[in-house]
Amino acid sequence: MSVQKQVRRITAPQITARKGGEPIVSLTSYHAHTAAIADEYVDFLLVGDSLGMVMHGFESTVPVHLDLMIMHGKAVVRGSARALVVVDMPFGSYEESPSAAFRNAVRVMKETDCGAVKLEGGRHMAETIEYLVARGIPVMAHVGLTPQSINVIGGFKTQGRTRDQWKAIEDDAKAVADAGAFAVVLEAMAEPLAARITKSISIPTIGIGASAECDGQILVMEDMLGLSPRVPKFVKEFGEVGKSIERAIKLYAEAVTDRSFPASENTYDVKD
Ligand code: KIV
């Protein structure tokens, strides 16, 4: 009889329970194979709409549509067993009304089997967050720099660099916490502001370009692997995967050109 070890997935409430405790580790993932590698080391995997830029070559996340998120969400759920999988709601799929957001979030949850969704926005999204949570959908919020609003903001600009901007951002973080979000991403904001928000709200803050004081951290996996051509200042490259891929491809091209590949160990002989 084979005994299979049952791996239990981390849940959204378990992430909330980590407020003020052991830091929450997370990364983006868009495919089954990176999800499988990261699964053991992260608490949640975010199928971020950054996949539009990282994987599909768009200039921003604005063109990303729901079907694309669902396709990548399915792959990440298939590749992982332990980490909570959170799927981003793309631009245009949730802003119109709470009921439109519910319809699209239900599609994401049913079709991918993920454990939660994420959406961008503060006070103006609080009603929608409350509506989704009351109907069984765990929501991670996202305030500070919200890349889906790039055309209104005018660029990928760090938020809260002057103190007169702080109150609005703090009010956003408090509003999404009060609305029932299980955690909130703080993206690209002045370090003391992120630390202050972390101290003042009841749900975990997940920093990206924010503060080491946040309850957890997230990075785009390709950025921290050293696979992205350009990375923002707040990224630390923990690997040199881009260089390693290029080296391997160059060696392969040379081997094909000088006919040293395939060698005899890579070919099949006749059996008789
Ligand atoms: O889309 C994404 O990858 C994100 C992270 C940067 C938090 O939202």
Side-chain angles (χ1 to χ4, degrees), residues 2-257:
S2 77
V3 181
Q4 280 197 332
K5 205 169 143 215
Q6 182 83 30
V7 179
R8 282 195 177 274
R9 259 195 210 277
I10 295 170
T11 63
Q14 286 174 323
I15 297 291
T16 305
R18 298 269 292 274
K19 175 73 190 175
E22 193 191 339
I24 298 160
V25 182
S26 60
L27 281 172
T28 63
S29 173
Y30 319 125
H31 4 64
H33 66 280
T34 55
I37 295 169
D39 195 40
E40 188 183 336
Y41 306 100
V42 300
D43 297 300
F44 73 87
L45 289 166
L46 172 69
V47 186
D49 62 352
S50 51
L51 64 82
M53 301 170 76
V54 177
M55 300 275 305
H56 296 273
F58 293 126
E59 289 292 318
S60 77
T61 56
V62 172
V64 174
H65 55 76
L66 200 61
D67 290 338
L68 199 57
M69 295 308 303
I70 289 173
M71 185 183 80
H72 287 281
K74 283 179 182 172
V76 171
V77 171
R78 280 195 294 260
S80 59
R82 177 188 159 274
L84 170 69
V85 177
V86 182
V87 176
D88 249 344
M89 298 295 292
F91 179 62
S93 69
Y94 62 93
E95 302 90 333
E96 192 181 339
S97 65
S99 56
F102 180 71
R103 225 175 357 264
N104 287 325
V106 165
R107 258 200 80 196
V108 171
M109 302 278 297
K110 277 185 188 286
E111 293 182 35
T112 68
D113 206 21
C114 69
V117 300
K118 175 166 85 57
L119 53 81
E120 294 183 5
R123 281 157 292 169
H124 64 291
M125 291 314 302
E127 185 192 351
T128 297
I129 293 171
E130 198 169 340
Y131 189 95
L132 296 185
V133 175
R135 286 159 182 77
I137 300 179
V139 180
M140 178 176 285
H142 182 153
V143 304
L145 173 63
T146 48
Q148 292 175 11
S149 306
I150 190 86
N151 292 309
V152 173
I153 303 167
F156 292 96
K157 292 185 182 150
T158 306
Q159 305 294 297
R161 294 297 285 273
T162 58
R163 283 172 204 272
D164 59 329
Q165 297 171 352
W166 283 19
K167 184 170 181 327
I169 303 169
E170 286 178 303
D171 287 351
D172 281 341
K174 184 164 184 326
V176 298
D178 290 348
F182 71 92
V184 57
V185 170
L186 306 182
E187 179 164 356
M189 67 173 66
E191 194 280 334
L193 172 60
R196 194 171 138 122
I197 291 173
T198 300
K199 283 198 190 78
S200 69
I201 64 171
S202 57
I203 58 171
T205 57
I206 310 296
I208 174 162
S211 168
E213 298 292 310
C214 288
D215 298 294
Q217 301 294 329
I218 188 162
L219 282 175
V220 168
M221 194 188 295
E222 282 73 357
D223 289 353
M224 57 77 71
L225 288 177
L227 188 53
S228 301
R230 288 184 312 275
V231 292
K233 163 189 154 99
F234 60 75
V235 172
K236 177 172 161 71
E237 293 179 311
F238 289 84
E240 293 193 329
V241 174
K243 283 188 190 142
S244 167
I245 289 175
E246 189 179 349
R247 251 192 319 271
I249 293 172
K250 189 163 170 272
L251 286 173
Y252 166 71
E254 284 167 5
V256 171
T257 307

